[in-house]
């Protein structure tokens, strides 16, 4: 992917400034801030993380507490006041659940699934990619062939089948998403690590009596990290979207454990009866979350791209 | 070339076999379909008879061998829900999915490639930024939600288009298709747009990337220096050079468009293969699940194989490296 096109001007490098980790981080941050949209996206994500994980504090109602639900409150329009005496800003659903609260809690489930699936897939994928690039030979052939094969299958199909096999529930969904997504990390790690492996510092590290695991994770890994950060953000977003899709199709989470997907799925049943708020609002939150994460990932990619270096 | 071909073909066959075992074992690990099919009041005798009839009393490996033997004879089993042959069932649903995919691919290509080329041609213009923003949306917003919004807007609020189903089916060249009737078109257009968005986003990005890269190459500069008009440079020189990656991804994505049809078909209750597989997962209709999945595996392996072969034809380096 080409970035911004520069003129082919030959510049003579001046003495490089001394770089510490802190200046590097500061440079990264100031580069990142050059896109106002990306900064807004980051703020949006932080706010969403706060309202979802702080859901018990910020939401007007506990949507899991069946005792607090009142059938008389069902299908209140956005802005109506229910029996609880407060305004249901986004209305209520068929069980009298406050939509705003349900969305905050659902967002929490979506985040938990997206983040843990992303982290686990990262862990497994990176290990496989590093091993393939480091050991070469038949290890590389077998591992990467499997990865290639998996990458040629759409993640949605793979996840669909796995969820069907594993059953419904949060851990099952996370498992299915990890299996569907680790290949992206393995591919990226393998590509970057193959390049790094040929460099002198790895040879130097190998010539010392350091254990292989240390060479792999302490020397090789930090240098293949930048592209992985980008893949990780994109994969978290796609994990959240995939989970929502699975729940929407009815094979994901049941409504007793609401994620954004199951909320939308529930609302979809009432789409013809002019009760738009049941499905539109969770969908808006889902869209904003996914797009914001992708925007952040895009900007991180731009900043880390050596072609765009200052 | 022959060695390369034989090697890839061999790998493909192994993959299909391995996947068929994984799918078979995986699918058979899910619940007991007998519990779903028989009402709990049935006598033990009826139960046993049914279990024997479906061969569920056999050990798993024997069930698999029986399955393979039947597949060799073109028999993929009988749907437990519809009680007709799976092959007939899938083929009766296939035209609906294919016409949906066809229309959506045409929409994605006709809009996506020119839009991407333009965005790459004037990368800093407002139109280019808008096109790229749209492609990000097409990429990242879940298909099912966009589909739902389309239904809300065009079917529920405006009432212009039907919200689901396939509509009237006519025939073209003996193939039953909704594309033969106006009513059919009114049914197909919304799901097709929905399905096309992801692919459109991809095509926009690819053709933009190719265009940006090509604009900076020597041959384009040279063509410019010659005083060729821009239109000619773009269509005669650049498009030719950037078409290979676009065509590759296009081919690869054809398979995943078929897969994504699962989501779109569910949203628009389109009676295609995708809806069939979701229904069969929900109803634990094992023979349908297994057959569909194995067909999908074969489809993807075949697509990959074709891409490999086309690459080897186009690029001798691939051929030499792979044939060793």
């Amino acid at each position: 992917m080409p970035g911004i096109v520069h003129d082919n001007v030959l510049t003579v490098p001046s003495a490089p400034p001394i770089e510490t980790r802190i200046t590097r981080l500061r440079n990264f941050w100031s580069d990142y801030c050059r896109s106002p949209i990306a900064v807004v996206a980051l703020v949006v994500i932080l706010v969403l993380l706060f309202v979802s994980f702080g859901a018990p504090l910020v939401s007007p109602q506990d949507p899991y507490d069946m005792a607090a639900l009142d059938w008389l409150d069902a299908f209140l329009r956005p802005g109506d006041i229910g029996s609880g005496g407060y305004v249901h800003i986004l209305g209520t659903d068929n069980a009298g659940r406050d939509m705003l609260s349900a969305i905050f809690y659902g967002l929490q489930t979506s985040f938990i699934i997206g983040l843990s699936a992303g982290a686990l897939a990262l862990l497994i994928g990176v290990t496989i990619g590093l091993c393939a690039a480091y050991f070469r030979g038949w290890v590389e052939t077998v591992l990467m062939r499997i990865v290639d094969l998996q990458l040629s299958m759409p993640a949605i199909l793979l996840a669909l089948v796995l969820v069907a096999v594993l059953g419904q529930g949060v851990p099952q969904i996370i498992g299915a998403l990890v299996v569907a997504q680790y290949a992206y990390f393995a591919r990226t790690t393998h590509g970057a690590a193959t390049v790094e492996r040929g460099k002198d510092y790895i040879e130097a590290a190998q010539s010392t009596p350091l254990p292989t695991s240390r060479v792999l994770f302490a020397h090789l890994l930090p240098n293949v990290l930048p592209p992985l950060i980008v893949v990780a953000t994109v994969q978290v977003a796609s994990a959240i979207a995939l989970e929502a899709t699975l729940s929407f199709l009815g094979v994901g989470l049941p409504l007793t454990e609401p994620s954004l997907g199951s909320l939308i799925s529930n609302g979809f049943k009432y789409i013809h009866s002019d009760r738009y708020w049941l499905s539109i609002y969770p969908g808006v939150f889902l869209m904003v979350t996914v797009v914001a994460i992708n925007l952040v990932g895009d900007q991180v990619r731009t900043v880390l791209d050596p072609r765009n270096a200052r | 070339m022959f060695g390369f071909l034989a090697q890839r073909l061999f790998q493909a066959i192994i993959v299909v076999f391995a996947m068929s075992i994984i799918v078979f074992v995986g699918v058979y690990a899910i619940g007991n379909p007998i519990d779903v099919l028989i009402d709990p009041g049935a006598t033990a005798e009826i139960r046993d008879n049914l279990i024997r009839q479906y061969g569920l009393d056999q050990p798993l490996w024997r069930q698999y061998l029986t399955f393979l033997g039947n597949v060799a004879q073109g028999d993929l089993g009988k749907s437990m829900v519809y009680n007709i042959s799976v092959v007939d069932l899938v083929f009766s649903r296939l035209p609906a999915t294919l016409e949906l995919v066809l229309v959506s691919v045409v929409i994605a290509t006709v809009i996506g490639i020119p839009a991407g080329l333009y965005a790459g041609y004037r990368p800093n213009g407002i139109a280019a930024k808008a096109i790229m923003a749209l492609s990000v949306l097409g990429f990242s917003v879940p298909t099912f939600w966009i589909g739902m919004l389309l239904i809300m807007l065009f079917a529920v609020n405006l009432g212009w288009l039907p919200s689901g189903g396939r509509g009237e089916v006519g025939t073209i060249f003996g193939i039953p298709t909704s594309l033969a009737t106006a009513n059919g078109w009114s049914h197909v257009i919304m799901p097709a747009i929905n399905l096309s968005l992801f692919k459109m986003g991809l095509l926009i990005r690819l053709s933009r990337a190719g265009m940006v890269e090509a604009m900076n190459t020597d041959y384009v500069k040279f063509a410019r220096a010659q005083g060729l008009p821009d239109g000619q440079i773009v269509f005669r020189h650049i498009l030719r050079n950037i078409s290979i990656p676009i065509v590759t991804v296009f081919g690869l994505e054809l398979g995943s468009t078929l897969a994504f049809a699962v989501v779109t078909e569910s949203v628009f209750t389109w009676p295609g293969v995708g809806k069939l597989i979701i229904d069969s997962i929900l109803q634990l209709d094992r023979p349908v699940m297994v057959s569909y999945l194995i067909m999908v595996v074969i489809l993807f392996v075949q697509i990959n194989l074709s891409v490999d072969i086309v690459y080897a034809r186009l690029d001798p380096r691939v051929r030499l490296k792979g044939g060793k």
Side-chain angles (χ1 to χ4, degrees):
Chain A
M1 283 284 230
I4 299 159
V5 179
H6 288 293
D7 300 324
N8 293 322
V9 182
L10 188 68
T11 47
V12 181
S14 53
I18 298 159
E19 274 213 337
T20 62
R21 261 176 212 196
I22 294 168
T23 52
R24 232 185 289 163
L25 207 61
R26 207 173 285 159
N27 282 342
F28 178 84
W29 180 240
S30 72
D31 279 353
Y32 183 89
C33 290
R34 273 195 274 171
S35 161
I37 298 176
V39 176
V40 172
L42 190 63
V43 172
V44 168
I45 293 175
L46 291 177
V47 170
L48 289 176
L49 279 173
F50 174 75
V51 296
S52 61
F53 285 97
L57 301 173
V58 292
S59 59
Q61 184 198 58
D62 179 359
Y64 292 103
D65 182 8
M66 296 313 265
L69 301 180
D70 191 338
W71 289 95
L72 294 174
D73 287 338
F75 297 125
L76 290 180
R77 303 189 75 84
D80 283 358
I81 298 173
S83 58
Y86 52 87
V87 181
H88 295 284
I89 299 169
L90 301 184
T92 59
D93 73 358
N94 49 318
R97 226 179 249 121
D98 177 48
M99 279 313 288
L100 188 68
S101 313
I103 288 173
F104 286 169
Y105 278 85
L107 197 58
Q108 186 184 357
T109 316
S110 294
F111 268 128
I112 289 174
I113 291 175
L115 291 174
S116 28
L120 279 173
L122 177 85
L123 206 70
I124 296 170
V126 165
T127 311
I128 289 179
L130 281 184
C131 288
Y134 188 84
F135 295 111
R136 297 183 189 169
W138 66 268
V139 177
E140 184 176 26
T141 314
V142 170
L143 287 178
M144 292 332 278
R145 206 62 204 156
I146 295 174
V147 166
D148 279 345
L149 184 79
Q150 246 201 281
L151 284 180
S152 70
M153 301 265 293
I156 173 85
L157 261 193
L158 215 54
L160 194 65
V161 176
L162 284 164
V163 168
V165 174
L166 297 171
Q168 298 194 321
V170 173
Q172 286 92 330
I173 294 235
I174 292 175
L177 291 176
V178 169
V179 176
Q181 295 195 314
Y182 83 93
Y184 296 91
F185 292 100
R187 173 88 277 171
T188 313
T189 314
H190 177 253
T194 308
V195 175
E196 289 296 321
R197 196 194 184 284
K199 294 190 178 165
D200 289 343
Y201 73 91
I202 293 295
E203 212 171 312
Q206 278 176 317
S207 67
T208 62
L210 288 173
T212 309
S213 63
R214 202 180 146 112
V215 179
L216 275 180
F217 291 101
H219 296 261
L220 197 51
L221 183 58
N223 290 295
V224 299
L225 220 44
L228 281 176
I229 298 172
V230 178
V231 178
T233 41
V234 174
Q235 289 304 316
V236 168
S238 92
I240 291 176
L242 262 182
E243 180 279 317
T245 305
L246 292 174
S247 295
F248 179 79
L249 292 176
V251 292
L253 294 173
L255 196 63
T256 47
E257 256 178 298
S259 74
L260 290 179
S262 37
L263 288 176
I264 298 170
S265 171
N266 181 50
F268 189 60
K269 290 181 217 144
Y270 304 97
I271 193 168
H272 288 287
S273 53
D274 199 29
R275 283 157 181 159
Y276 64 91
W277 62 93
L278 263 68
S279 47
I280 286 282
Y281 293 129
V284 169
F285 273 82
L286 174 68
M287 184 180 83
V288 169
T289 310
V290 172
V291 171
I293 299 177
N294 274 325
L295 286 174
V296 170
D298 253 11
Q299 180 63 5
V300 173
R301 188 204 317 268
T302 311
V303 172
L304 292 178
D305 191 340
R307 278 176 297 193
N308 297 337
R310 285 186 290 186
Chain B
M1 183 71 189
F2 180 74
F4 170 81
L5 205 67
Q7 185 202 11
R8 280 298 147 96
L9 202 62
F10 181 67
Q11 278 182 352
I13 291 171
I14 290 189
V15 165
V16 170
F17 264 99
M19 286 302 285
S20 78
I21 294 176
I22 295 173
V23 165
F24 197 84
V25 173
V27 168
Y28 277 69
I30 317 171
N32 186 355
I34 293 294
D35 296 340
V36 184
L37 291 174
I38 311 176
D39 77 291
T43 61
E45 199 182 339
I46 298 179
R47 240 183 109 81
D48 290 347
N49 273 337
L50 265 171
I51 289 178
R52 212 166 309 129
Q53 190 193 327
Y54 286 110
L56 295 171
D57 53 341
Q58 306 281 327
L60 197 55
W61 63 269
R62 179 152 308 164
Q63 287 187 41
Y64 177 69
L65 286 186
T66 314
F67 171 76
L68 271 193
N70 289 339
V71 169
Q73 295 163 18
D75 175 16
L76 289 168
K78 230 173 173 188
S79 160
M80 291 175 172
V81 175
Y82 299 92
N83 207 20
I84 56 171
S85 138
V86 172
V87 179
D88 291 346
L89 188 58
V90 170
F91 276 97
S92 73
R93 299 290 195 95
L94 204 54
T97 297
L98 287 182
E99 77 189 24
L100 179 63
V101 169
L102 182 74
V103 176
S104 82
V105 163
V106 169
I107 294 174
T109 313
V110 169
I111 299 177
I113 293 183
L117 289 179
Y118 181 79
Y121 180 66
R122 292 251 179 279
N124 296 318
I126 294 175
K129 297 240 160 87
I131 290 171
M132 291 320 285
L134 273 181
S135 88
V136 170
L137 284 185
F139 242 47
S140 48
V141 180
T143 314
F144 74 92
W145 197 62
I146 296 185
M148 218 175 68
L149 290 183
L150 287 174
I151 292 182
M152 277 191 178
L153 184 61
F154 292 107
V156 179
N157 281 347
L158 296 172
W160 291 353
L161 294 168
S163 68
R166 197 175 169 205
E168 276 170 41
V169 177
T171 48
I172 303 178
F173 304 125
I175 304 162
T177 166
S178 340
L179 304 185
T181 65
N183 178 279
W185 271 99
S186 74
H187 281 83
V188 82
I189 196 71
M190 208 158 47
I193 289 175
N194 183 223
L195 188 57
S196 74
L197 290 176
F198 184 85
K199 209 176 168 65
M200 198 188 292
L202 197 69
L203 285 175
I204 288 177
R205 291 204 145 198
L206 270 175
S207 36
R208 175 186 176 272
M211 189 73 173
V212 167
E213 203 149 355
M215 293 287 278
N216 217 29
T217 54
D218 288 341
Y219 72 84
V220 172
K221 284 182 189 157
F222 186 67
R224 281 245 166 94
Q226 274 186 312
L228 290 180
D230 267 13
Q232 200 179 338
I233 297 178
V234 169
F235 287 105
R236 185 168 293 174
H237 298 275
I238 297 182
L239 200 55
R240 248 186 222 183
N241 277 287
I242 65 174
S243 58
I244 290 178
I246 296 179
V247 169
T248 311
V249 174
F250 186 87
L252 281 174
E253 284 295 310
L254 207 61
S256 69
T257 309
L258 273 173
F260 267 101
V262 171
V263 179
T264 301
E265 284 179 9
S266 297
V267 176
F268 292 91
T269 52
W270 187 260
V273 192
K275 184 93 177 61
L276 179 69
I277 181 66
I278 289 290
D279 291 345
S280 67
I281 286 177
L282 295 176
Q283 294 163 333
L284 288 180
D285 196 349
R286 282 175 181 174
V288 180
M289 286 166 78
V290 172
S291 315
Y292 174 82
L293 291 174
I294 290 180
M295 282 185 213
V296 168
V297 169
I298 293 176
L299 176 76
F300 276 95
V301 168
Q302 205 197 325
I303 290 175
N304 278 337
L305 193 65
S306 324
V307 169
D308 278 349
I309 292 170
V310 171
Y311 259 34
R313 276 295 313 141
L314 294 176
D315 190 343
R317 281 170 302 182
V318 178
R319 191 153 71 216
L320 294 175
K321 201 177 129 216
K324 266 191 299 199

